[in-house]
Amino acid sequence: MSQYVFQQLINGLSLGSLYALVAIGFSMIYGIVRLINFAHGDLVMIGAFSTLGFVAMGVPWPLILVFVLMIGALAGMTIEATIFRPMRGAQQVTGFIATLAVSIVIQNVGLMTLSGQPRNFSFPAFMRQRVQLGSVSASVTDLSIIGLTLLLIALLLVVVYRTRLGTAMRATADNLMAARLMGIAVNRTILFAFAIGSGLAAVAGLMWGGKFGQIDPLLGFAPGLKAFIACVIGGVGSIGGAMLGGYLLGLAEVLFVGLLPPAFSGYRDVFVFTMLIIILLLKPSGLFVRHVEERA
Amino acid sequence: MLEVRDLHVTRGATEVLKGISLEVLEGETAALIGANGAGKSTTLLTLSGLLRAKSGTVRFEGASGSIDLTKLAAERIVGEGLVQCPEGRQIFHSLSVEENLSMGGYLRRDRASLGSSIEEVHALFPILKERAKAAGGTLSGGEQMMLAIGRALLARPRLLLLDEPSLGLAPQMIERIFDVIETLKKRGTTILLVEQNAAMALDIADRAYVLENGRITLSGSGRELADNDRVRQAYLGIAS
């Protein structure tokens, strides 16, 4: 494999990792409360700026990772408990509009307090080195993003499929009323889903900053939207679908640009959205979901 | 065990329960019969804390003594030992049979004896053991009903609420489910059974109530109601 193709592949996988991390949380939240959460991308921004803050304070990187995860989780839980929970009984569109409002509030508070000026963001020097793998090489940053993402996803799957709380969360997503009748405190499992999803998004923010080198208070918009698309591609509400959708989207974006003549590179989003439309026409419930259960 | 006094419940603008009173004694099987829309499910959902009463009291001899359920959170009510097997089964379709059962025991702290409780449920419904790994949604209607009952039993009910267990099942399966209810009754489980299938419900019930338009219009032993002319006409389809 030529270095060029390999580089594109690694690029696609690392971008896909970011999309997958954000998409998984998006999907978990939709799965449990049927809420299209457009504020989810802004947790990426919160994660990126928290990282910057911790770096300025001289916190070591492994601790920063843990702290950012916790800050994301706390932010997500706060939003859920104060804004989304009181709207639970309302129509779906009410919740949807509320998430847009939350997103605008977060972005504007960010602009006011942090200024709209992009800030430089850099990982430690060794992260910017390249590793030689036979005839090809890849950056430590990209490899770390891919590796850490896979590790986090593995941990998530263990929590969701092997623990009592994870099972209760799936039960709540499956049938809220039955979950309540079994004595599951559903507000707690919903809070838990928000904590996990938002924590993952914040970690994606840390990675986002390291990968692109600059952050600003509006950076959450793109990953939020892409996560939504990844979920739709994969099948909304399924963790595996969101993950695969994220990787597919990341790879598609990078490969469209990288493997086609440079004249087409400006059409990147056109290709991506055309792909989305075609997938939705052929498989409306997403690529990786066998059936969709309608729920009132 | 359970004493409902003057319970009023509104859903939206409609008053669905207009002051009902009923009681279930320990070890008894009580039946609540009535037509569609009479308020049967509303009654059970209020007992379980999923709907809130506008007024009235629900006194229950729970795990922590005699308490009023009308202000208690749904998960606390299950913890006190009032467990509902809801209408339409409502099993977790995407969870395995095994996981469905484990969710029944969600609040139990005695992890050790949970295993033997699951074995008891398996003994009652062997099919649930055979299909332990299958997704709940792949089960037939009758099997889903067994799973729903098994799941409720794992919560160790002091009082088991059964909402329309015969709904949508083949006659043979209804027979089977009522056999199980009979077994549970013999084991001393206190049961409140809501049914449209009045004949079978009255047959098994020690005590029965007729609910019409949100009011209890008749009550007595199962036998008395089964012999009552109005009940025979309206609910048992027997002309007098």
Side-chain angles (χ1 to χ4, degrees), chain A residues 37-279:
Chain A
N37 180 10
F38 271 104
H40 192 61
D42 296 301
L43 270 308
V44 177
M45 184 274 283
I46 291 177
F49 274 94
S50 312
T51 310
L52 215 54
F54 288 126
V55 171
M57 286 155 60
V59 180
W61 278 94
L63 270 184
I64 291 183
L65 184 66
V66 176
F67 287 171
V68 165
L69 189 76
M70 281 163 46
I71 285 190
L74 276 176
M77 285 159 68
T78 309
I79 295 171
E80 144 63 13
T82 57
I83 297 160
F84 298 151
R85 185 181 299 170
M87 295 183 189
R88 195 97 78 227
Q91 286 179 343
Q92 215 169 17
V93 67
T94 309
F96 172 72
I97 299 291
T99 71
L100 281 175
V102 171
S103 170
I104 291 169
V105 168
I106 295 177
Q107 289 178 3
N108 283 284
V109 169
L111 283 174
M112 301 297 284
T113 57
L114 304 163
S115 102
Q117 202 67 31
R119 288 168 200 243
N120 288 326
F121 183 114
S122 58
F123 277 154
F126 78 90
M127 292 288 280
R128 275 169 277 148
Q129 287 165 359
R130 301 189 69 80
V131 201
Q132 198 66 36
L133 304 155
S135 64
V136 292
S137 70
S139 82
V140 178
T141 297
D142 281 337
L143 293 178
S144 314
I145 287 176
I146 297 168
L148 182 59
T149 300
L150 293 178
L151 179 72
L152 288 173
I153 290 174
L155 280 175
L156 172 79
L157 292 177
V158 169
V159 169
V160 171
Y161 287 95
R162 288 281 173 271
T163 67
R164 181 166 159 270
L165 192 54
T167 311
M169 206 172 80
R170 285 183 292 128
T172 308
D174 187 302
N175 190 328
L176 188 91
M177 176 186 120
R180 295 186 69 191
L181 288 178
M182 291 305 110
I184 296 170
V186 293
N187 277 336
R188 214 176 305 155
T189 56
I190 290 170
L191 210 54
F192 184 57
F194 269 88
I196 296 181
S198 307
L200 292 180
V203 170
L206 177 155
M207 296 174 175
W208 190 277
K211 184 169 170 60
F212 297 109
Q214 271 196 336
I215 60 173
D216 67 74
L218 301 181
L219 78 81
F221 179 74
L225 191 62
K226 296 292 167 63
F228 177 52
I229 295 167
C231 284
V232 173
I233 290 176
V236 188
S238 121
I239 291 178
M243 184 185 100
L244 293 171
Y247 277 106
L248 193 66
L249 187 63
L251 279 170
E253 267 189 28
V254 169
L255 295 182
F256 275 135
V257 176
L259 300 182
L260 288 172
F264 289 107
S265 66
Y267 290 97
R268 169 158 128 168
D269 281 348
V270 175
F271 283 122
V272 169
F273 283 91
T274 307
M275 179 177 87
L276 174 71
I277 292 171
I278 292 173
I279 288 174

Side-chain angles (χ1 to χ4, degrees), chain A residues 164 170-171 174-175 178 181 183, chain B residues 75 78 90 93-94 99 106:
Chain A
R164 181 166 159 270
R170 285 183 292 128
D174 187 302
N175 190 328
L181 288 178
Chain B
E75 63 267 20
V78 177
Q90 311 288 344
H93 288 247
S94 62
E99 288 173 334
Y106 182 73

Side-chain angles (χ1 to χ4, degrees), chain B residues 2-9 17-25 43 46-47 53-60 68-70 207 209 216:
Chain B
L2 180 78
E3 192 184 0
V4 177
R5 281 279 157 265
D6 199 28
L7 193 66
H8 290 258
V9 180
L17 296 184
K18 300 159 186 160
I20 66 164
S21 299
L22 55 86
E23 64 176 341
V24 184
L25 302 185
T43 306
T46 308
L47 295 183
K54 205 175 76 183
S55 63
T57 56
V58 176
R59 185 104 341 245
F60 178 63
D68 183 5
L69 299 183
T70 51
R207 175 194 299 270
Y209 297 90
I216 301 281

Side-chain angles (χ1 to χ4, degrees), chain B residues 8 12 20 32 43 62 72 83 113 115 133 148 156 159 176 194 229:
Chain B
H8 290 258
I20 66 164
L32 185 61
T43 306
L72 227 51
V83 182
S113 66
K133 301 286 177 197
R156 272 207 304 214
L159 171 63
R176 176 84 203 280
V194 158
D229 283 342

Side-chain angles (χ1 to χ4, degrees), chain B residues 120-194:
Chain B
E120 279 171 35
V121 168
H122 282 161
L124 209 53
F125 304 115
I127 186 79
L128 297 184
K129 188 174 188 180
E130 280 168 44
R131 308 216 46 194
K133 301 286 177 197
T138 64
L139 266 54
S140 73
E143 289 165 355
Q144 289 188 11
M145 189 65 232
M146 297 182 198
L147 179 56
I149 293 178
R151 185 181 63 174
L153 289 177
L154 280 171
R156 272 207 304 214
R158 300 162 72 89
L159 171 63
L160 177 65
L161 310 181
L162 289 167
D163 196 352
E164 303 267 8
S166 73
L167 195 73
L169 297 183
Q172 218 179 348
M173 189 53 73
I174 296 179
E175 215 51 78
R176 176 84 203 280
I177 296 295
F178 271 84
D179 282 348
V180 169
I181 298 173
E182 189 81 46
T183 309
L184 296 176
K185 179 182 172 175
K186 282 198 189 110
R187 288 184 191 171
T189 313
T190 312
I191 299 170
L192 175 56
L193 172 67
V194 158

